[in-house]
Amino acid sequence: MSAQSPLVQIQDLDIRFRLDRKSEPFHAVKGISFDIPQDATVALVGESGSGKSVSAMAILGLLPENAIVAPRSRILYGGRDLLRAPMREMQQIRGKELSVIFQEPMTSLNPVFPVGEQIGEVLRLHMGMGIRQAQARAVELLNEVGIPNPQLRVNSYPHEMSGGQQQRVMIAMAIACEPKLLIADEPTTALDVTIQKQILDLIAALQERHRMSVLFITHDLGVVGEIADRVVVMQEGEIREQGTVDAIFRHPRDAYTKALLACRPRLDRRPMRLPVIDDFLKGEGRVHLEERRRGTSASDAIILEVKNLDKTFFLKEGLFGKRAVPAVKDVSFRLAKGKTLGVVGESGSGKTTVGLTVMRLHEATGGEVLFEGRNLLSLTEREMMAYRRRIQIIFQNPYASLNPRFTVGEILLEPMRIHGIGKDERERIDMALQLLRRVGLPEASFHKYPHEFSGGQRQRIAIARCLTMKPDVLICDESVSALDVSVQAQVLNLLQDLQDEYRLSYIFISHDLAVVKYISDRVMVMNDGVVVEMADSDEIYRNPQQEYTRRLLASIPKGLQRARELET
Amino acid sequence: MSAILDHPPAVAGHHSPGLWLLAWRRLRHDRVGMVSLVIVVFFLLLMTASYMGLVASDWSQEKGVSYANPSFLAGAENLEAKAMEQRAKAAKAPPVDLSDVDPLAPRYKEWEERAKKIAVTEVKRSETLPLGGDKWGRDVLKKAIKGSEVSIFVGLSSALLATLIGTVLGAFAGYWGGKVNDFLEWFYNIFTSIPYILLILAFAAVATSTGKFGKGIVPIVLVLSLTGWTGIYRLIRAEYIKHANREYVKAAQAIGASNNSRMFHHILPNVSHVALVQLSQYTVGFIKAEVILSFLGFGVPVDMVSWGTMLAEAQNELVIGKWWQLAAAGLSMAVLVTAFSLLTDSLRDALDPKLR
Amino acid sequence: MTAYVIRRVWQMIPTIFGVILLIFILFNWVGGDPAQVLAGKISNPDQIANIRRQLGVDQPYWVQLLIFVKQVFTFDFGRSWSTNEEVSHIILTRVGPTLTIMLPVLFITTGLSVLFAVLVAYVRGTLTDRMVMIACTVAMSISFLVYIIVFQWLFGFILGWFPVQGWSESFWKNLTYYAPLPIMLAVFVGVAPELRLYRSFFLDEIHQDYVRTARAKGVPEKGVMLKHVMRNALIPILTNVGIALPGVFVGSFLLEVFFSVPGLGREVVTAVNRSDFPVIKAVTVYLAIITMVINLLVDVMYKFVDPRVSFK
């Protein structure tokens, strides 16, 4: 890092959004200031709604039409205030001196032009290159970002490439004109863990090679630890803390920062309860020292046994034919009563399909699911009804798993009515209210609609819905993946409490290795529809046997670990 | 629901607004939308009043002289009326005397005596009418009102029927998929491979040539709805396909809700706003279609009046300078259709706001 | 791709059969005995008996259906019930005038609509935008009939720029003398709804992520609109034109009726008036087939317009 003047200086940035004619504008960024030094990586960290993306977009003047920037705000670059620069000037800077890559590469690339042409566009626009010259340079760039066969791929369309490759194309477009600053807005959030690592390495390598600054926006502190020099922590439009990575990770001063650091499940320790941001903000935050032991033993009672499960999807293809897509191949496992089985894998591994097939939300093409001795897959729908209440599922997307037109009360009462739980409506309402309390929601929620709740709260409602039927097995299909770190910790704690209290058995499906290790007794690793490895959780993380498992574990961002090492 | 009211005050909290209440609130702030709503409601009230006979029930009476001038053009010349008068006078001239060969001749005097005793009101035809008169001297204003009743009623009922058909079929196709979908898609393809106007004309041909579609306005309502359901079928089917894959429906399946419950209790409320907007659009479209069909003679029967029949008469009237029937029908229709269209737009925005 | 085309053609067969079935049910079953239908329209009893025999009215329904199917595939629907002209001849001679009017209408309307839609989308949200939209809504709420009556009266009768009605034998004379007024009318009325639709297509595209990327690359707003957005919006626009294409053959029957253009649309209207079923049946079935073929061609053309489309 150099002691030169900073590349970009953000001063007192204040942004509001006009929502509609009647309401108050939404105050997204409340007067923040920070610098981006030259030749350095700054991580802008925060949860959803913190205003981090908005702040970054303001640098390039890419705010939506209803944004209002306060007159006193300034963004200084190269001797001028970007917020006041005329459009013509901004257009000359964008893509040339300051560039951006976004979170969703599939939609961020224009679907109707080949990638070579899109990369070439920046070159033609800013470097005055001709078509052929630009095309040649595009090939070089594709090579630099690690796309195999660049000569061929330069004529491909975005949809013909994988997510990781699309992101590389975006990066190629962004560095084509050797910018001074690259803004990366959650570039790896939508990618698989192994691909994420590759992209992070690429960005780090490019940063060094081209000596450019990088503003990296993320919610993942692990990533931050790996790549950043400086960290800026934001919450609800304000900066809570900023400093060097060492300072932030070693001596966090702000309660929120401390909470963020502590809430993530760690790979090396397993406290009884995860600390929660609210605890920290109230000043009561501390990390539980007592650890929870996890594991299975041969004497555990088995509540669910899956044998040779197969699920193949058939798609129409060709003139009359069908194409078989095997999603789950010969999967077998056992679930011990009162314990948690973690199922880990990347997208396409079949882990979600396993969960849905066990519940018969998909019809299996082969195998058995033995519950209390009966094969669920062979039951008729009517016979299945009796078992439906015993195995329940919580889905990933809290915004889609509750019917937007039902009140919370209706959502909770429906399963009870279907299964005849409770002798009359009155009793059912009582039970519903009790459950709401149990999951930590106010009773008044009963009359409200889902859209009035946050993601974490909706997951709690989903959990309550499952509990109305007093199930034995709960399948959590990426149930905390869509939640912010702090909320995630709350929901995980809730799930653990419920397991302790009701002796529930969980099948916990996730791609997040740290979370899985924290909550599971036994872990099953899946890839491409098959079980790669299965062992007790401590064992598998300590001593992975299979190549794929090792690769998976190696991709976990080590940032937090580095922090721990610094700590001690 | 009384169980909830019995409960201690802690829970009898406020009922949050659902979709419709929220949409209504948004609509209230939309000035264009509210004005359109008022206009549409006005027309609907007018339609009801006309239907119940409170206004314009005597539209077919020939109150005025032929092509009576509108009140604001009272002084203008009315050549046609004069010509009619001449002809009427000529008709009243005493007939040729045939009494020597006419076997009934002796009885004429007797009958004339009797006839004189019966009071016959000779209606004096007025020179002007509020919005003028048509060729037979019928009041254009009353015709416009009655016409709007018929046109709107036809438009609305066809729209309702078409929406019903399309929604039910779309729901089944989208939810069940498989063979049910294949069959319904085949059915849909048949109707959509025939160009729409041609389809309507084909149905209209059979409706008017045979009595098999019913009487009065029933044929045209059937024609419009049996040919027009395809648009909403497509929309609802797409919505059902989308929603059937959503997690809240899978969750419903997981808790054991039946297929019917999922289709109509769970998904339908999430899709009904689409149906409503489409219903509104259909009404506009079918009103316009009815006008054209009635103009060509395939719409409402001859003893009824609609905007279409008025425009049919207006075509020839314009050449001789009588423009009021064209204006009355054209204008009232334009006002209603504009209001309805703007209302549809506002409705759509209120139900599904996007920052545009 | 050949496999795709073959599969599509194969799929067309049940639909064509379905159309034939629908028309048959409508006209032969619901429509019923021509004797009743034509009562009062044709006075010659021999003629009616002839018609009944040709249709096979006294035979069981499936025989009648076979007769109909045969008619479709041999392109021989017999003769019109009212004019006794051969139906196939009717169709072939009337298509020309219809296309003479409708093809220019299609091109000009689409061109103008796209042009105006781009302009309006460029100034979206401004007063101009809202005014244009309201103007379109009002324009669309006035019945086509009113436009025709007024235009005919104004341009033909009062100003005398164009003939009020008529058609000639010469193609060129038709195109330049008789067709302009109806074409102008159709374009004038047709632009409003298309403008609204295309504007919504453009706006949909403007809100996509790739537009944000283009701006982030420094592409000026004009380039964003004309290059990035336009190219993507072309896809739904072409879909829309593709849907409208089959309608070109029926033409605007109102225009043909008012302007005495001897086209297919007017022919159908006349047939409805006279309960001339063979004409209506034939036109309907053949246009359905034409529609399916056009749809197939449009779908094939998609491959060149939308790279995401693949044929399986």
Side-chain angles (χ1 to χ4, degrees):
Chain A
M1 286 216 292
S2 49
Q4 301 160 329
S5 61
L7 183 66
V8 175
Q9 287 176 295
I10 299 182
Q11 295 174 350
D12 213 0
L13 185 60
D14 183 309
I15 305 174
R16 284 167 216 260
F17 286 108
R18 223 179 303 116
L19 293 173
D20 52 46
R21 232 172 289 160
K22 289 287 163 176
S23 346
E24 267 293 301
F26 172 64
H27 205 173
V29 179
K30 300 174 183 161
I32 64 168
S33 306
F34 67 94
D35 292 345
I36 302 176
Q38 299 198 22
D39 193 12
T41 302
V42 176
L44 190 49
V45 180
E47 300 182 299
S48 46
S50 54
K52 53 194 196 296
S53 283
V54 174
S55 309
M57 289 300 114
I59 300 177
L60 282 171
L62 287 178
L63 294 170
E65 287 162 359
N66 61 335
I68 312 167
V69 181
R72 67 180 197 280
S73 308
R74 300 213 184 305
I75 298 184
L76 301 174
Y77 164 75
R80 56 201 142 175
D81 180 5
L82 293 180
L83 290 172
R84 275 161 194 78
M87 184 56 80
R88 174 76 56 88
E89 215 178 304
M90 285 306 292
Q91 285 167 354
Q92 279 167 352
I93 298 177
R94 287 182 198 154
K96 183 167 179 222
E97 297 171 46
L98 308 172
S99 59
V100 178
I101 58 177
F102 298 103
Q103 180 175 357
E104 300 276 358
M106 178 76 223
T107 54
S108 299
L109 290 170
N110 195 326
V112 298
F113 296 136
V115 300
E117 192 180 323
Q118 297 191 49
I119 299 176
E121 189 177 17
V122 228
L123 295 166
R124 277 173 281 136
L125 201 57
H126 295 297
M127 316 278 271
M129 290 192 190
I131 296 188
R132 203 165 300 179
Q133 198 185 3
Q135 183 87 335
R137 182 87 186 99
V139 173
E140 282 172 22
L141 285 163
L142 285 177
N143 194 26
E144 190 177 347
V145 297
I147 300 254
N149 277 328
Q151 289 282 20
L152 248 87
R153 293 308 243 164
V154 78
N155 291 320
S156 306
Y157 288 95
H159 68 277
E160 295 170 341
M161 302 176 127
S162 70
Q165 287 174 330
Q166 288 165 354
Q167 199 58 296
R168 290 174 196 269
V169 169
M170 284 288 297
I171 294 174
M173 247 175 11
I175 62 162
C177 302
E178 310 252 344
K180 303 219 181 68
L181 171 66
L182 171 68
I183 301 177
D185 188 358
E186 305 244 32
T188 55
T189 309
L191 303 173
D192 277 333
V193 142
T194 45
I195 310 285
Q196 177 174 279
K197 176 140 181 61
Q198 294 169 4
I199 300 289
L200 287 176
D201 288 343
L202 175 63
I203 294 179
L206 290 171
Q207 190 264 321
E208 255 205 59
R209 193 179 319 147
H210 295 268
R211 303 226 147 275
M212 62 185 177
S213 298
V214 174
L215 178 63
F216 200 101
I217 301 163
T218 179
H219 63 275
D220 189 344
L221 278 168
V223 165
V224 170
E226 270 208 35
I227 59 158
D229 300 310
R230 289 186 65 83
V231 179
V232 176
V233 179
M234 282 184 75
Q235 187 207 23
E236 284 181 11
E238 296 172 319
I239 291 185
R240 301 296 296 225
E241 194 167 349
Q242 55 176 304
T244 62
V245 149
D246 288 352
I248 297 280
F249 276 45
R250 249 215 252 202
H251 308 293
R253 271 167 301 167
D254 179 71
Y256 180 74
T257 315
K258 288 187 200 161
L260 269 187
L261 286 166
C263 288
R264 271 287 292 162
R266 305 155 53 136
L267 285 169
D268 55 342
R269 285 205 219 131
R270 194 188 282 120
M272 286 295 278
R273 286 181 70 81
L274 283 173
V276 162
I277 289 201
D278 285 340
D279 295 340
F280 277 86
L281 292 178
K282 276 185 260 172
E284 298 161 359
R286 53 181 169 46
V287 180
H288 268 260
L289 291 176
E290 189 189 343
E291 296 224 3
R292 179 185 291 272
R293 291 267 220 81
R294 288 204 189 272
T296 58
S297 68
S299 56
D300 286 335
I302 301 289
I303 186 159
L304 186 73
E305 181 169 357
V306 172
K307 285 186 179 167
N308 311 105
L309 192 64
D310 259 328
K311 173 66 189 159
T312 307
F313 290 102
F314 292 99
L315 305 175
K316 278 206 201 126
E317 188 178 84
L319 206 47
F320 294 104
K322 286 196 219 176
R323 186 159 64 106
V325 178
V328 173
K329 295 180 266 200
D330 196 26
V331 168
S332 305
F333 61 86
R334 287 178 153 141
L335 179 62
K337 187 158 173 62
K339 298 275 172 103
T340 303
L341 170 70
V343 181
V344 167
E346 298 181 293
S347 48
S349 57
K351 56 191 194 298
T352 299
T353 314
V354 165
L356 296 176
T357 312
V358 164
M359 287 212 54
R360 287 189 66 176
L361 290 177
H362 281 318
E363 287 303 322
T365 37
E368 296 181 316
V369 173
L370 299 169
F371 183 77
E372 287 183 351
R374 294 204 69 180
N375 180 9
L376 295 181
L377 299 183
S378 67
L379 298 177
T380 63
E381 191 53 47
R382 173 164 280 193
E383 290 166 339
M384 186 67 198
M385 274 299 272
Y387 289 94
R388 281 240 177 263
R389 51 178 290 194
R390 322 261 315 262
I391 310 182
Q392 276 302 310
I393 184 167
I394 305 169
F395 293 100
Q396 171 178 12
N397 186 352
Y399 296 93
S401 59
L402 304 174
N403 192 330
R405 303 278 189 267
F406 285 9
T407 56
V408 170
E410 278 157 17
I411 292 175
L412 294 177
L413 292 174
E414 189 187 7
M416 291 195 262
R417 286 191 200 125
I418 293 177
H419 293 275
I421 300 173
K423 58 183 185 304
D424 59 12
E425 195 70 356
R426 177 105 209 199
E427 193 177 331
R428 289 194 264 267
I429 295 176
D430 277 332
M431 286 169 66
L433 292 171
Q434 218 176 3
L435 283 171
L436 281 174
R437 276 194 300 264
R438 184 68 195 78
V439 299
L441 288 169
E443 280 189 0
S445 312
F446 193 86
H447 292 295
K448 296 200 175 156
Y449 286 92
H451 63 78
E452 302 179 64
F453 296 96
S454 69
Q457 289 171 322
R458 289 190 215 199
Q459 282 302 50
R460 292 167 194 270
I461 297 171
I463 294 173
R465 174 172 57 188
C466 293
L467 292 176
T468 57
M469 294 173 275
K470 303 211 202 322
D472 297 299
V473 175
L474 211 52
I475 300 179
C476 304
D477 185 7
E478 302 263 22
S479 309
V480 297
S481 307
L483 303 175
D484 280 333
V485 157
S486 54
V487 181
Q488 207 177 73
Q490 288 173 338
V491 175
L492 287 172
N493 282 342
L494 173 62
L495 285 172
Q496 191 53 60
D497 289 342
L498 293 171
Q499 184 175 55
D500 291 337
E501 188 176 329
Y502 297 113
R503 263 208 100 198
L504 296 171
S505 316
Y506 291 154
I507 298 179
F508 195 92
I509 303 169
S510 177
H511 65 276
D512 190 332
L513 297 153
V515 169
V516 167
K517 181 173 194 228
Y518 176 75
I519 197 139
S520 316
D521 291 292
R522 201 160 168 72
V523 173
M524 181 167 93
V525 177
M526 286 187 70
N527 183 30
D528 224 3
V530 293
V531 177
V532 169
E533 194 169 343
M534 180 151 54
D536 278 5
S537 55
D538 288 335
E539 187 57 35
I540 212 170
Y541 282 77
R542 195 177 26 230
N543 213 355
Q545 300 290 321
Q546 300 296 327
E547 171 59 38
Y548 178 74
T549 318
R550 285 200 214 111
R551 198 152 32 103
L552 209 55
L553 291 173
S555 315
I556 303 175
K558 304 275 184 304
L560 286 173
Q561 247 155 297
R562 176 176 155 202
R564 316 274 185 249
E565 287 153 23
L566 292 171
E567 229 174 80
T568 52
Chain B
M1 267 329 213
S2 60
I4 303 199
L5 294 173
D6 287 334
H7 221 89
V11 186
H14 84 289
H15 278 254
S16 328
L19 169 77
W20 299 105
L21 194 53
L22 281 175
W24 171 244
R25 286 191 193 155
R26 263 183 238 126
L27 189 62
R28 282 238 308 274
H29 291 144
D30 183 353
R31 261 173 301 183
V32 172
M34 286 311 282
V35 170
S36 312
L37 183 62
V38 167
I39 296 179
V40 169
V41 169
F42 168 70
F43 269 91
L44 288 175
L45 288 174
L46 198 60
M47 177 185 113
T48 323
S50 170
Y51 180 72
M52 296 200 296
L54 294 175
V55 300
S57 51
D58 55 349
W59 64 272
S60 54
Q61 287 189 358
E62 300 166 8
K63 285 254 178 72
V65 300
S66 172
Y67 293 123
N69 289 328
S71 323
F72 47 88
L73 286 182
E77 268 224 281
N78 194 342
L79 296 167
E80 289 67 24
K82 292 216 174 70
M84 286 281 278
E85 243 184 271
Q86 306 284 41
R87 277 199 289 276
K89 282 218 182 84
K92 287 218 186 87
V96 174
D97 190 5
L98 291 170
S99 37
D100 44 348
V101 293
D102 194 343
L104 286 173
R107 312 293 304 273
Y108 286 157
K109 194 114 206 274
E110 190 190 324
W111 289 334
E112 232 183 272
E113 298 294 315
R114 262 208 237 157
K116 281 215 181 84
K117 297 207 187 97
I118 302 170
V120 172
T121 29
E122 173 96 13
V123 179
K124 168 98 174 72
R125 285 159 174 257
S126 57
E127 287 292 318
T128 67
L129 291 165
L131 284 184
D134 67 357
K135 182 168 174 202
W136 293 272
R138 296 184 293 195
D139 188 346
V140 164
L141 174 63
K142 297 221 170 92
K143 281 177 79 176
I145 295 177
K146 196 71 179 170
S148 73
E149 177 212 320
V150 173
S151 294
I152 297 175
F153 188 76
V154 169
L156 214 46
S157 21
S158 315
L160 276 165
L161 193 53
T163 303
L164 195 63
I165 298 174
T167 303
V168 170
L169 294 182
F172 275 92
Y175 183 82
W176 288 104
K179 294 237 164 28
V180 174
N181 178 55
D182 289 344
F183 173 73
L184 286 171
E185 284 292 287
W186 171 72
F187 194 63
Y188 169 82
N189 280 328
I190 295 175
F191 277 79
T192 49
S193 40
I194 304 172
Y196 186 51
I197 342 162
L198 199 50
L199 190 62
I200 293 188
L201 286 175
F203 271 74
V206 178
T208 51
S209 311
T210 71
K212 303 236 177 100
F213 273 53
K215 285 202 290 256
I217 58 167
V218 177
I220 183 168
V221 170
L222 282 177
V223 167
L224 288 175
S225 45
L226 291 176
T227 56
W229 57 271
T230 53
I232 193 175
Y233 163 86
R234 195 107 224 112
L235 273 175
I236 298 287
R237 173 180 173 272
E239 286 290 307
Y240 263 83
I241 290 178
K242 186 173 78 172
H243 281 266
N245 282 319
R246 286 259 169 95
E247 277 148 356
Y248 75 86
V249 176
K250 291 210 186 104
Q253 186 185 4
I255 64 174
S258 68
N259 277 311
N260 277 337
S261 167
R262 276 177 263 157
M263 262 213 297
F264 297 113
H265 187 220
H266 280 264
I267 301 183
L268 190 58
N270 280 289
V271 151
S272 52
H273 63 286
V274 172
L276 182 65
V277 172
Q278 189 63 32
L279 175 70
S280 193
Q281 274 183 327
Y282 269 167
T283 308
V284 169
F286 287 156
I287 290 178
K288 290 163 82 169
E290 179 274 326
V291 167
I292 292 181
L293 286 178
S294 295
F295 175 88
L296 292 171
F298 309 143
V300 301
V302 275
D303 58 343
M304 295 177 100
V305 64
S306 85
W307 284 326
T309 61
M310 288 174 76
L311 289 175
E313 294 170 21
Q315 185 191 11
N316 299 316
E317 292 171 3
L318 200 58
V319 187
I320 49 177
K322 315 290 178 190
W323 52 269
W324 30 97
Q325 195 162 206
L326 175 70
L331 215 58
S332 47
M333 181 182 161
V335 169
L336 173 66
V337 172
T338 305
F340 225 113
S341 301
L342 291 174
L343 180 62
T344 309
D345 285 343
S346 298
L347 210 59
R348 187 189 295 123
D349 282 340
L351 285 166
D352 182 22
K354 280 187 213 164
L355 285 166
R356 283 272 180 95
Chain C
M1 169 142 112
T2 342
Y4 176 72
V5 173
I6 294 178
R7 184 159 72 117
R8 283 292 300 268
V9 172
W10 176 254
Q11 284 170 344
M12 281 203 298
I13 297 176
T15 314
I16 296 177
F17 182 70
V19 172
I20 293 177
L21 197 61
L22 175 67
I23 298 302
F24 178 77
I25 292 177
L26 199 54
F27 286 94
N28 290 48
W29 188 57
V30 178
D33 197 326
Q36 290 175 325
V37 170
L38 295 171
K41 297 197 182 171
I42 298 184
S43 43
N44 186 346
D46 283 332
Q47 209 181 350
I48 295 188
N50 224 352
I51 291 173
R52 296 183 82 229
R53 199 177 337 118
Q54 273 180 339
L55 271 185
V57 167
D58 297 317
Q59 311 208 31
Y61 276 120
W62 65 270
V63 174
Q64 292 187 42
L65 182 58
L66 278 171
I67 297 176
F68 184 41
V69 173
K70 177 158 166 274
Q71 284 182 320
V72 172
F73 286 104
T74 57
F75 200 58
D76 173 19
F77 276 82
R79 295 176 175 275
S80 152
W81 289 354
S82 48
T83 65
N84 218 31
E85 195 185 338
E86 262 193 35
V87 173
S88 37
H89 184 253
I90 294 179
I91 295 181
L92 288 173
T93 50
R94 307 296 191 264
V95 172
T98 301
L99 289 178
T100 311
I101 294 185
M102 292 312 289
L103 284 175
V105 167
L106 185 65
F107 289 130
I108 302 176
T109 308
T110 305
L112 285 179
S113 306
V114 172
L115 177 63
F116 290 144
V118 171
L119 292 174
V120 172
Y122 197 73
V123 296
R124 62 189 171 281
T126 60
L127 191 61
T128 321
D129 181 21
R130 288 214 300 272
M131 294 271 88
V132 170
M133 283 301 106
I134 301 228
C136 281
T137 308
V138 174
M140 281 161 66
S141 60
I142 302 175
S143 177
F144 195 23
L145 296 172
V146 174
Y147 283 108
I148 298 182
I149 295 175
V150 171
F151 268 56
Q152 234 183 356
W153 174 75
L154 183 64
F155 290 102
F157 191 63
I158 299 286
L159 291 175
W161 290 354
F162 298 101
V164 173
Q165 291 182 342
W167 203 251
S168 75
E169 292 296 312
S170 143
F171 170 71
W172 210 240
K173 177 143 194 210
N174 287 333
L175 194 57
T176 53
Y177 186 57
Y178 287 110
L181 186 53
I183 290 179
M184 194 173 81
L185 199 44
V187 169
F188 191 83
V189 175
V191 167
E194 300 225 330
L195 170 53
R196 278 176 60 111
L197 188 62
Y198 294 163
R199 172 184 172 276
S200 75
F201 291 162
F202 283 114
L203 289 185
D204 277 337
E205 295 301 321
I206 286 182
H207 288 99
Q208 296 291 327
D209 283 346
Y210 69 81
V211 170
R212 183 179 54 169
T213 307
R215 289 202 190 111
K217 293 200 293 194
V219 178
E221 204 57 29
K222 224 181 292 182
V224 169
M225 199 50 140
L226 292 175
K227 183 175 168 208
H228 288 260
V229 171
M230 177 72 97
R231 185 65 186 69
N232 275 278
L234 221 52
I235 299 170
I237 289 176
L238 280 172
T239 312
N240 193 254
V241 172
I243 294 175
L245 218 42
V248 148
F249 287 89
V250 181
S252 170
F253 57 94
L254 281 179
L255 283 177
E256 291 176 12
V257 166
F258 272 90
F259 287 93
S260 292
V261 176
L264 208 49
R266 189 178 79 152
E267 203 59 46
V268 174
V269 172
T270 318
V272 176
N273 262 319
R274 299 189 194 153
S275 299
D276 197 345
F277 285 2
V279 173
I280 307 175
K281 285 157 79 173
V283 173
T284 309
V285 173
Y286 289 130
L287 278 186
I289 297 178
I290 291 180
T291 303
M292 288 184 240
V293 171
I294 291 182
N295 282 343
L296 177 56
L297 289 173
V298 169
D299 282 346
V300 168
M301 192 197 52
Y302 253 133
K303 179 68 171 159
F304 302 101
V305 171
D306 188 351
R308 289 167 289 187
V309 166
S310 69
F311 296 129
K312 292 173 287 181

